[in-house]
């Protein structure tokens, strides 16, 4: 998914991953919040973040022997 994102969508994605809200990202990138929302939806960033979190959780379980 990430390789299919535009540069702008990728920046939004990484800021979301760091915990910034859509409004915070819009302010940081000097964009309209609707633009950030669109980039988030178009890039399927929420799906990618959910997958990242699931992979990390599984790796942590494996490392802890569960």
């Amino acid at each position: 998914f990430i390789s299919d994102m535009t540069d702008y969508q990728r920046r939004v994605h990484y800021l979301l991953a760091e915990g910034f809200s859509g409004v915070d990202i819009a302010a940081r990138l000097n964009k309209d919040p609707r633009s950030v929302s669109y980039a988030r939806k178009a890039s399927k960033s929420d799906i990618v973040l959910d997958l990242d979190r699931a992979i990390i959780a599984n790796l942590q379980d494996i490392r802890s022997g569960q």
Side-chain angles (χ1 to χ4, degrees):
F1 288 125
I2 292 175
S3 62
D4 295 330
M5 293 180 188
T6 66
D7 289 339
Y8 176 62
Q9 289 170 341
R10 201 172 298 116
R11 280 186 277 164
V12 169
H13 172 76
Y14 287 131
L15 290 170
L16 286 167
E18 290 181 23
F20 289 93
S21 71
V23 173
D24 293 336
I25 294 169
R28 188 177 184 111
L29 299 179
N30 198 29
K31 297 286 187 176
D32 187 290
R34 291 173 292 187
S35 173
V36 172
S37 178
Y38 178 76
R40 186 177 186 168
K41 289 176 187 171
S43 67
K44 298 180 177 65
S45 195
D46 292 336
I47 294 170
V48 175
L49 292 173
D50 287 344
L51 290 172
D52 286 347
R53 289 182 191 114
I55 291 168
I56 290 168
N58 285 332
L59 289 173
Q60 289 171 340
D61 288 347
I62 291 168
R63 288 185 185 134
S64 68
Q66 294 180 349

